[in-house]
């Protein structure tokens, strides 16, 4: 089979690998869609790839891609029919833990007490390939109403947005400010709108703000324009909320300034959530948090249960998650696909098989 390997320093290769065979408790998926995620750019860009970033790698090249969606085509010993069936349409929760600790047993394998044993697409073979082997317990069934591309989105970016909105306790009478309208932020805009909330979307890209309006945003703000004499971001959000500030905010940008603004823009008793990875933020703890009773939340992806809930919500509400994808590629188009995604000027991309 073919699989994409990140070499780092903005290089990748499409290589040949043996077709996988499932062991005890494992299945093999025929991948139908594998999403391209912003997190993949770390391994694509960094000289030395994932190993240089401190990940403990298995020997040999690793197939990238951590947004898997496909069909079960082989089942190993010890897998019950309730876990997997030949032909079953599935997403995959891209972490492997011990399977029995309090976190693993509730679907949070990335929080395993013993540490994450494998991150598919980073330390273990991922979904940018024809086939993928994984434990049956990491599977989440894909509703028949949803496309494989939608399932791939839910398997990381859209699922991450859903997990953050659930952590925030978003309600229909809330106003939420969402910083960054890349794939995760745009998913949050789409889902928050479907949940009935009023959405203020922020980004420095006019193209991304236009998409945010298409995805249900009620108002959009460009911080770069506001910095040029038209007012400040926090002030602009307060103007849109009768001087009170947003009930909730979500930062998907990782930008230090945006993170600080996400905390400062919420009203007294408000909540702010960070989902963007890496980087830092500087806050005045007393004025920004304590003396306004603000809750600051960190949210990292989602559980298998949350992934299933997200998929069912999208299916029941008929939400067009496929619209997130501005580009669809074949595996043999990996080089131009990642060159374009690296520019951070487009929407989301997906490999379809």
């Amino acid at each position: 089979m073919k699989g994409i390997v990140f070499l780092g320093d903005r290089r990748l290769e499409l290589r040949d690998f043996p077709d996988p065979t499932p062991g005890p408790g494992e299945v093999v998926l025929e991948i139908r869609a594998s999403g391209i995620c912003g997190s993949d750019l770390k391994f694509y860009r960094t000289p030395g790839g994932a190993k240089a970033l401190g990940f403990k790698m298995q020997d040999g090249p690793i197939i990238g891609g951590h947004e898997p969606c496909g069909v079960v085509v082989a089942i190993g010993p010890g897998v019950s029919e309730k876990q997997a069936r030949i032909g079953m349409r599935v997403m995959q929760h891209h972490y492997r833990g011990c399977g029995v600790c309090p976190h693993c047993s509730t679907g949070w394998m990335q929080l395993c007490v013993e540490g994450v044993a494998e991150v598919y697409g980073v330390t273990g073979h991922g979904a940018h390939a024809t086939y993928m082997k994984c434990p049956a317990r990491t599977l989440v069934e894909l509703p028949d109403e949803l496309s494989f591309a939608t399932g791939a989105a839910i398997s990381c970016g859209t699922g991450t947005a859903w997990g953050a909105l659930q952590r925030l306790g978003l309600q229909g009478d809330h106003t939420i400010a969402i910083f960054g309208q890349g794939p995760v932020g745009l998913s949050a805009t789409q889902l928050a709108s479907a949940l009935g909330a009023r959405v203020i979307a922020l980004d420095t890209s006019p193209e991304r703000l236009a998409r945010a309006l298409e995805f249900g945003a009620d108002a959009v703000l460009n911080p770069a324009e506001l910095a040029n004499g038209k007012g400040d971001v926090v002030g602009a959000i307060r103007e849109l909320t009768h001087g009170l500030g947003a009930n909730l905010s979500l930062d998907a940008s990782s930008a230090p300034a945006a993170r600080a603004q996400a905390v400062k823009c919420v009203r007294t008793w408000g909540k702010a959530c960070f989902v963007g990875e890496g980087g830092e933020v500087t806050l005045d703890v007393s004025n920004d948090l304590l003396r306004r009773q603000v809750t600051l939340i960190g949210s990292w992806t989602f559980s298998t249960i949350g992934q299933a809930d997200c998929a069912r919500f999208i299916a029941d509400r008929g939400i067009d998650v496929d619209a997130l994808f501005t580009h669809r590629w074949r595996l043999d188009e990996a080089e131009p696909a990642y060159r374009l995604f690296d520019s951070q000027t487009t929407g989301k991309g997906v490999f379809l098989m």
Side-chain angles (χ1 to χ4, degrees):
M1 71 173 190
K2 298 289 187 181
I4 296 169
V5 175
F6 297 126
L7 304 177
D9 205 18
R10 291 181 164 82
R11 295 178 300 120
L12 55 78
E13 287 183 358
L14 184 62
R15 295 186 180 181
D16 290 307
F17 291 86
D19 290 351
T21 301
E26 294 179 331
V27 299
V28 172
L29 309 181
E30 181 181 338
I31 298 297
R32 298 293 180 84
S34 180
I36 300 175
C37 177
S39 296
D40 293 319
L41 291 177
K42 293 185 294 186
F43 317 119
Y44 172 71
R45 292 169 173 169
T46 303
K51 187 174 183 179
L53 291 169
F55 289 93
K56 295 181 180 179
M57 312 295 290
Q58 60 179 255
D59 293 335
I62 300 296
I63 298 170
H66 64 275
E67 295 189 346
C69 193
V71 174
V72 176
V73 293
I75 296 174
V79 176
S80 73
E81 189 172 334
K82 291 182 179 180
Q83 287 181 301
R85 307 174 300 279
I86 298 296
M88 183 178 177
R89 303 169 78 248
V90 295
M91 303 172 285
Q92 196 258 350
H93 191 262
H94 58 274
Y95 306 96
R96 177 171 66 85
C98 71
V100 296
C101 75
H103 301 308
C104 286
S105 61
T106 53
W108 289 96
M109 287 169 279
Q110 67 271 46
L111 303 179
C112 180
V113 171
E114 296 181 6
V116 180
E118 204 156 44
V119 181
Y120 295 96
V122 183
T123 64
H125 291 318
H128 285 356
T130 314
Y131 299 103
M132 177 182 172
K133 180 175 72 172
C134 61
R137 68 174 183 269
T138 65
L139 300 182
V140 178
E141 190 161 8
L142 179 70
D144 290 338
E145 304 96 311
L146 301 184
S147 71
F148 289 109
T150 287
I154 295 168
S155 294
C156 188
T158 298
T160 293
W162 173 264
L165 296 178
Q166 294 299 304
R167 292 269 286 144
L168 282 166
L170 181 76
Q171 297 177 9
D173 61 347
H174 284 158
T175 294
I176 182 170
I178 300 176
F179 291 75
Q181 293 297 304
V184 174
L186 194 60
S187 291
T189 292
Q190 186 178 47
L191 292 171
S193 177
L195 285 161
R198 180 179 180 230
V199 178
I200 302 170
L202 298 96
D203 202 287
T204 57
S205 164
E207 293 79 12
R208 286 185 167 182
L209 290 178
R211 296 203 77 207
L213 287 170
E214 294 172 4
F215 275 61
D218 298 277
V220 295
L221 296 172
N222 187 329
E225 293 180 357
L226 291 170
N228 291 332
K230 297 183 180 180
D232 65 281
V233 170
V234 174
I237 292 172
R238 293 193 182 282
E239 284 183 17
L240 291 169
T241 55
H242 312 289
L244 295 174
N247 301 92
L248 311 170
S249 68
L250 186 155
D251 176 67
S253 74
S254 301
R259 283 176 169 161
Q261 290 159 356
V263 173
K264 294 175 182 179
C265 79
V266 297
R267 64 187 63 185
T268 299
W269 298 106
K271 296 179 183 177
C273 181
F274 293 169
V275 297
E277 292 272 13
E280 298 178 349
V281 63
T282 299
L283 297 170
D284 182 333
V285 173
S286 292
N287 291 329
D288 296 337
L289 290 170
L290 303 186
R291 295 176 185 175
R292 297 194 303 119
Q293 304 287 11
V294 169
T295 300
L296 178 57
I297 297 169
S299 186
W300 186 32
T301 59
F302 44 85
S303 67
T304 53
I305 296 168
Q307 188 172 355
D309 288 344
C310 178
R312 178 41 57 197
F313 177 81
I314 288 167
D316 288 348
R317 301 299 178 94
I319 299 171
D320 186 12
V321 173
D322 275 10
L324 282 171
F325 297 102
T326 56
H327 294 79
R328 292 161 173 81
W329 308 90
R330 302 187 308 269
L331 283 180
D332 61 6
E333 297 175 311
E335 288 194 21
Y338 268 94
R339 276 201 305 271
L340 181 63
F341 192 52
D342 187 35
S343 70
Q344 296 285 272
T345 58
T346 67
K348 191 169 178 63
V350 62
F351 294 110
L352 298 176
M353 277 69 84

